[in-house]
Amino acid sequence: MPVRLAALAAVPLAAAAGAVAGGLGVLLLAGMALALAVLLAGGSVAALASALLLAEPLAELLKRLTFMLGDGGAAAYYGVQVLPTLLLAAALAAALPRLLPLPAPAVWLLALVAWVSLCTLLTPLPTPWFHRLGTLHHEIVPALLFLPALAVRDRAPIGRAAVAVCIVTAAYGLWQFLAGYSGLDLAWAAGAAERSIQAGKVFAWMIGDSWERRIFSLFPDPFTWGQALVGGLMLVLLARLSRGWRLLAWAAVLTGLVLTQSRTPWAALLVTGLAWWGLGWRPLRRPLVVLAAALVGFPLTLWLGGAAYDLWFTGAPAADDPFLRRWLTVGTIEARLDAWTSLRDVLAARPLTGVGAGADPRYAADLPLSPELAAAHYAHNVLVSLALYGGAPALVLFLAFQASLLRLVLAHGGSDGRLAAAFLLGSQAAGYLNAGIFLTWQYFLVLGLAAGEAVAQRRLAVVASAQSDGTQTHREVAA
């Protein structure tokens, strides 16, 4: 306790020192946040996972702060974004002794992470190392949160942290909507326009080159925020918090989803709800049926997207209000309808290894990619992204992870397993429109919590069965 109180007392001093140190001072603030989180967690995996959820928007806030305190140097700008990953490492260290032997879904997931990492590190393409490691960190590393989630039994701290993130980000998003971008946002946009797609969009709006003014709160972009809101809601439901907490979460999530002006998170929430309702019918609550539904969602999404494009968005009325205009704008949906062609092109050109992570032409424009492989990066489809990262083996490993997870949670997970399966389907629907970005911290935390509970219930059933058999044998001998 004295150590924790001393750490808390040091926070104002660290903040003052950070301000004096300029842009690099955010690294000091991030380091203090990391140390404080680990000290307060006290070795609790649930507390560390909760701190990670809070650290995600905090890291984005510190990232923008670099441009207010100094020149936004690359070391500080990218360094603070590692804060959630460092908390992941602490959670893994705390949970590892409790995880062995690993359940099948964890084995398949680790195989996927290892294969994509290997394909990325050994790719013959001259992909810049920073782009390779950055993409792995952004889109692959969050999968590892599935492992410590398996060891969590007290979900209440995670649920409360998820509610806090939803409320705070909804409030900040409402500020962006009503009062305009804050000084933090504008400084970040001006300083990071060439590093960040969203910063570039905000900067284009600042100088009058674009009408679009998107609300993204304390996240890198509106879609990522929307997916975090939907995933946060699932964590609240899994935590079985009181009615008041749940109402707060629903209010914040629905407010935030409206502000994102993004249709895809709404689709994720809608499909999750429909899947939850459908899985109430026992014949549908089978692993192969749910996995088949996830795969059928691929062509179904393309068909429904094409129908929506032709029926609603083509010839939609114009609007002067930027908020309404965004909702009526097609955006990039038309380009995403070619995902099947892109998947076929990738598997034909690089069937075993793909091109590795980090070869996206938006970030590594000078790579010698064929026109088909370059276009595939714009397909915004999770299967295409996985094929690009690791070829057909990555697709097989991902589907094997999902199949083994569904087999586990639907057999032993009860209502938690039903919710996890529904969320898997809803997230997959989002992934067919926005690539692998839906593979977030929240996604793997939800699935890991449900899988951990299913493993615990399966072990209890095995022990109870063994005890029952022993009692029966004893009775037979006595007779």
Side-chain angles (χ1 to χ4, degrees):
M1 183 63 70
V3 175
R4 297 182 183 181
L5 290 176
L8 286 170
V11 170
L13 296 177
V20 173
L24 288 175
V26 298
L27 291 177
L28 180 61
L29 296 177
M32 176 58 68
L34 174 65
L36 188 60
V38 173
L39 283 171
L40 293 176
S44 165
V45 180
L48 288 167
S50 305
L52 190 154
L53 291 178
L54 297 171
E56 185 179 17
L58 175 61
E60 288 295 321
L61 183 65
L62 291 174
K63 180 180 75 175
R64 297 173 202 178
L65 189 60
T66 61
F67 298 96
M68 293 285 285
L69 296 179
D71 58 359
Y77 182 82
Y78 293 109
V80 295
Q81 297 180 59
V82 184
L83 177 58
T85 306
L86 295 176
L87 288 167
L88 168 64
L92 281 168
L96 214 53
R98 317 176 202 176
L99 295 179
L100 299 177
L102 290 175
V107 175
W108 286 114
L109 189 63
L110 283 175
L112 172 64
V113 172
W115 177 255
V116 170
S117 300
L118 186 65
C119 292
T120 300
L121 299 178
L122 299 182
T123 178
L125 293 173
T127 309
W129 279 102
F130 188 78
H131 294 163
R132 301 188 201 191
L133 298 176
T135 305
L136 286 175
H137 175 262
H138 181 60
E139 298 198 21
I140 305 302
V141 167
L144 297 177
L145 185 56
F146 182 84
L147 298 177
L150 293 171
V152 172
R153 291 298 170 264
D154 180 12
R155 304 175 187 175
I158 294 176
R160 287 192 289 267
V163 174
V165 170
C166 291
I167 292 175
V168 170
T169 58
Y172 192 82
L174 198 59
W175 173 274
Q176 287 180 333
F177 176 68
L178 296 175
Y181 295 127
S182 70
L184 278 173
D185 305 325
L186 296 176
W188 167 68
E194 296 182 358
R195 302 178 189 173
S196 164
I197 293 176
Q198 187 61 39
K201 291 180 178 179
V202 176
F203 184 71
W205 175 84
M206 284 173 57
I207 63 176
D209 282 355
S210 173
W211 58 267
E212 191 175 42
R213 189 174 76 85
R214 298 293 299 278
I215 309 302
F216 51 95
S217 188
L218 294 173
F219 280 85
D221 57 73
F223 172 73
T224 305
W225 180 31
Q227 287 302 110
L229 289 169
V230 175
L233 180 61
M234 299 302 114
L235 292 172
V236 173
L237 297 176
L238 280 177
R240 296 184 177 87
L241 298 182
S242 66
R243 187 167 180 267
W245 283 103
R246 294 198 305 272
L247 288 175
L248 281 173
W250 272 106
V253 167
L254 294 178
T255 300
L257 288 179
V258 171
L259 293 172
T260 64
Q261 306 167 70
S262 180
R263 293 171 284 264
T264 309
W266 282 105
L269 184 59
L270 177 62
V271 173
T272 298
L274 290 174
W276 165 262
W277 173 77
L279 290 173
W281 189 37
R282 187 173 293 276
L284 294 181
R285 208 159 55 243
R286 297 179 180 178
L288 289 181
V289 173
V290 178
L291 187 63
L295 292 175
V296 168
F298 181 25
L300 187 63
T301 300
L302 302 184
W303 177 74
L304 289 176
Y309 176 74
D310 294 334
L311 189 63
W312 293 322
F313 295 111
T314 302
D320 295 329
D321 180 73
F323 192 80
L324 181 59
R325 187 175 178 184
R326 162 63 196 174
W327 279 108
L328 296 174
T329 298
V330 175
T332 56
I333 191 172
E334 186 176 14
R336 304 177 194 197
L337 302 181
D338 292 328
W340 174 251
T341 302
S342 296
L343 180 61
R344 184 186 59 198
D345 290 342
V346 173
L347 293 178
R350 298 272 185 150
L352 294 179
T353 62
V355 295
D360 193 324
R362 289 173 294 181
Y363 308 105
D366 297 330
L367 292 180
L369 294 175
S370 67
E372 293 80 12
L373 289 179
H377 282 93
Y378 296 92
H380 294 279
N381 185 284
V382 62
L383 298 186
V384 177
S385 293
L386 287 170
L388 282 166
Y389 290 165
L395 291 175
V396 172
L397 291 172
F398 180 66
L399 295 176
F401 160 69
Q402 291 190 320
S404 62
L405 175 83
L406 291 169
R407 188 179 302 115
L408 175 64
V409 300
L410 291 177
H412 304 283
S415 61
D416 290 350
R418 179 181 169 189
L419 181 63
F423 182 56
L424 184 149
L425 289 174
S427 299
Q428 195 97 332
Y432 290 142
L433 290 170
N434 275 84
I437 302 176
F438 82 88
L439 301 172
T440 61
W441 300 111
Q442 291 82 7
Y443 176 81
F444 289 106
L445 188 53
V446 168
L447 298 187
L449 290 175
E453 180 64 22
V455 169
Q457 293 302 319
R458 184 177 63 183
R459 289 174 179 169
L460 286 175
V462 170
V463 171
S465 177
Q467 290 175 343
S468 176
D469 291 344
T471 302
Q472 182 67 30
T473 303
H474 176 73
R475 288 174 179 172
E476 290 174 356
V477 171

